[in-house]
Amino acid sequence: MSTRTTDGLRAGDSRSAATSSSSTKAGAIAGWVDDRTGLAKGARYIMSKVFPDHWSFMLGEVAMYSMIITLITGVFLTFWFVPSAGHVEYNGSYIPLKGVQMSEAYASTLHISFDVRGGLLIRQIHHWGALLFVVAIVCHMFRVFFTGAYRKPREINWLIGTMLAMLALIEGFAGYSLPDDLLSGTGLRAAQGFMLTIPVIGSYFVYFLFGGTFPGEAIIPRLYSVHILLLPAIIVGLFAAHLILVMVHKHTQYPGPGRTNENVVGFRLMPVYTAKAGGFFFIVFGIIALISSLFSINSIWNYGPYDPTAVTAGSQPDWYMGFADGALRLMPGWTEVSFGGFTFTYGILLGSLVLLPLVYVLMGAYPFVEQWITGDQREHHLLERPRNADTRTAIGVAAITAYCVLWFAAGNDIIATHLSLSINDITWFFRILFFVGPLLAFWVTKRICLALQRADREKVLHGRETGEIVRTADGRFYERHEPLDEYTRWHLVTGEPPVALALDSGTDHNGVRRPASKSERRRAKWARFFYKDNIPPVTPAELIAAQHDGHGHEAVAEIESGETTSRH
């Protein structure tokens, strides 16, 4: 091992005389730190990391930047927010509530909104930033799912993203409940009712969590600790792990000229990508600040302090929790049963406490289920066009459809009152649509993807339609097609031909039935379901034949012999 120090390595540098005094001092400090920490090698590796340039990759950056903005504004709010349910009489600037008894949490939130300079703007930036954080995470996960970016070796990162999405929902609910206004208190009361449906231990768990009977005085300080300490620490830790794995793995990229599974085409972290990322952060911050300045959100002074005997009419949860509320409204009455003198409300339990984790468990398990079905154990660094993975895309659209049905069902009372319809009819409509809608969405999406695959195939083989009709000397008519350029054609021919697992015979070479044959046959059937309708991409031999109008037999034979040789 070399024992030379950084000073010794720089001793023979002929450029040292030309450097300025400030740069020399900075280099000396950097050398001193590197001698004691060895950070130079890791920093060099990180700085030279290449990131591809595509707009969809910014969705993850939006999530990270909005999280940072939410954390910074949250620190500002902690200076004045009082996490206490102790009762006080309000004597602040908001005249309509003067002399009203309320909790210290609600009074301090009013104080931030009306008496702290810039407090209302910071509150709104905090709330809008949190909403954008959840939106960006969801959109980022859509991009990852529909392009197949979760495949090996990124399954762990998909699990981390799934946990982040679920924790973001819980964190948002905790922050939404802290002001102790009538709307947030109603949501907290609903959550307390959900917890009571836990068999056997429900009432004990609620008594422990709230520090007594509802509403108690312990829930606000406990939610405050969870909201500003526990969940942010976990979220930041998971985000750090997510970014580290992005650095460890090659970044995924869309297919294109010069892009393979072995390289990444784009910009290095320093200086280009860092400069672009820094500018994009201020764009995100500016947009959030602009929205917060122009559009009011969570105007708690309009609701008043929480009162257990009152409820806000037409109250709805935030959009990201709406699907759980919709599931509760669609649950039939027969899910409540009585046994041994006790009443069990399984409908509420399934629609609230079971549904939320179940959704994210299924999301987290999907990459492993698909890997088992397809038998694909290869590393993937190139993304897929959603149309080329028709079954996966159809499954994703079906899941989004089911979510949207539940989300709309959360407003069945608003729909009924505004459109003068029967709420019973609306509820039954959404119940049927929850089962029929995803199946219909799956079928339509798959048909569209297959049609787009066929259209791409025709475009590669025959060129782009020009709309010009040509008449030949013998009186025939045909449409002139314009050949595609190589860069346009590249995106249409890239893709891996689907290979469905062959059905196993179920017996070994001696004719004895193997124990695992049923499982393997089931797996092969699922693989056939995934791949049976997929249109294979155009091969070089087919392209040569099409370009020669079916007469390039020699070129086709040469291409096919080359493909056979490469396969062997």
Side-chain angles (χ1 to χ4, degrees), residues 147-473:
T147 60
Y150 55 80
R151 294 174 295 174
K152 184 181 178 180
R154 296 175 182 83
E155 301 95 334
I156 296 177
N157 241 0
W158 173 260
L159 291 176
I160 291 175
T162 303
M163 288 187 285
L164 276 171
M166 185 175 67
L167 290 176
L169 266 63
I170 301 173
E171 173 76 338
F173 177 77
Y176 158 86
S177 303
L178 285 177
D180 199 36
D181 59 289
L182 185 58
L183 185 60
S184 65
T186 301
L188 196 59
R189 181 59 182 265
Q192 182 249 4
F194 302 158
M195 298 173 195
L196 285 174
T197 63
I198 302 175
V200 182
I201 66 170
S203 57
Y204 301 100
F205 180 74
V206 168
Y207 194 87
F208 165 78
L209 185 63
F210 286 83
T213 56
F214 183 86
E217 295 189 356
I219 188 61
I220 290 181
R222 289 177 179 177
L223 272 180
Y224 184 70
S225 299
V226 170
H227 182 67
I228 72 166
L229 292 176
L230 180 61
L231 288 179
I234 298 175
I235 290 174
V236 170
L238 289 175
F239 241 106
H242 184 78
L243 293 177
I244 289 172
L245 287 177
V246 169
M247 290 291 185
V248 170
H249 302 140
K250 289 195 293 289
H251 203 292
T252 56
Q253 59 185 342
Y254 287 93
R259 300 173 185 175
T260 67
N261 266 318
E262 308 301 325
N263 68 351
V264 178
V265 178
F267 299 101
R268 295 187 184 276
L269 182 63
M270 285 292 290
V272 177
Y273 199 82
T274 301
K276 293 177 66 175
F280 190 51
F281 169 79
F282 288 105
I283 291 174
V284 173
F285 179 78
I287 291 176
I288 294 177
L290 182 64
I291 294 174
S292 304
S293 303
L294 299 178
F295 302 99
S296 178
I297 189 171
N298 199 23
S299 305
I300 61 167
W301 50 88
N302 291 328
Y303 309 129
Y306 179 62
D307 180 2
T309 63
V311 64
T312 51
S315 61
Q316 305 291 324
D318 275 331
W319 69 269
Y320 51 84
M321 296 295 290
F323 74 100
D325 191 18
L328 289 172
R329 300 186 185 209
L330 297 186
M331 283 292 176
W334 51 260
T335 55
E336 181 176 303
V337 296
S338 297
F339 180 76
F342 297 94
T343 300
F344 299 92
T345 53
Y346 291 111
I348 298 177
L349 178 67
L350 295 175
S352 56
L353 300 182
V354 174
L355 176 65
L356 186 64
L358 178 63
V359 167
Y360 289 96
V361 167
L362 293 176
M363 287 172 55
Y366 181 83
F368 303 96
V369 174
E370 183 184 284
Q371 190 178 86
W372 175 79
I373 290 174
T374 61
D376 188 359
Q377 297 293 334
R378 299 166 297 172
E379 287 195 4
H380 294 275
H381 303 290
L382 288 178
L383 301 175
E384 284 187 302
R385 301 175 77 199
R387 65 179 65 181
N388 292 337
D390 50 275
T391 303
R392 179 203 302 143
T393 302
I395 290 174
V397 174
I400 293 173
T401 303
Y403 171 87
C404 291
V405 171
L406 295 179
W407 186 79
F408 277 107
N412 60 351
D413 54 340
I414 305 298
I415 297 173
T417 56
H418 282 64
L419 300 180
S420 300
L421 299 174
S422 167
I423 191 171
N424 195 47
D425 294 342
I426 294 173
T427 301
W428 271 105
F429 170 77
F430 282 124
R431 283 175 180 171
I432 297 171
L433 189 62
F434 177 73
F435 295 100
V436 176
L439 296 177
L440 184 62
F442 177 90
W443 182 80
V444 171
T445 303
K446 183 157 182 136
R447 293 298 104 190
I448 292 175
C449 288
L450 293 175
L452 291 174
Q453 290 178 31
R454 294 189 182 95
D456 288 344
R457 184 178 178 85
E458 289 297 316
K459 188 181 295 185
V460 170
L461 293 176
H462 305 294
R464 183 182 292 107
E465 297 178 356
T466 63
E468 298 180 11
I469 305 301
V470 179
R471 181 179 181 181
T472 63

Side-chain angles (χ1 to χ4, degrees), residues 529-553:
F529 164 75
F530 256 75
Y531 290 135
K532 66 177 181 179
D533 297 323
N534 200 280
I535 310 298
V538 176
T539 64
E542 291 174 323
L543 183 59
I544 291 292
Q547 290 176 340
H548 289 78
D549 197 22
H551 299 293
H553 302 297

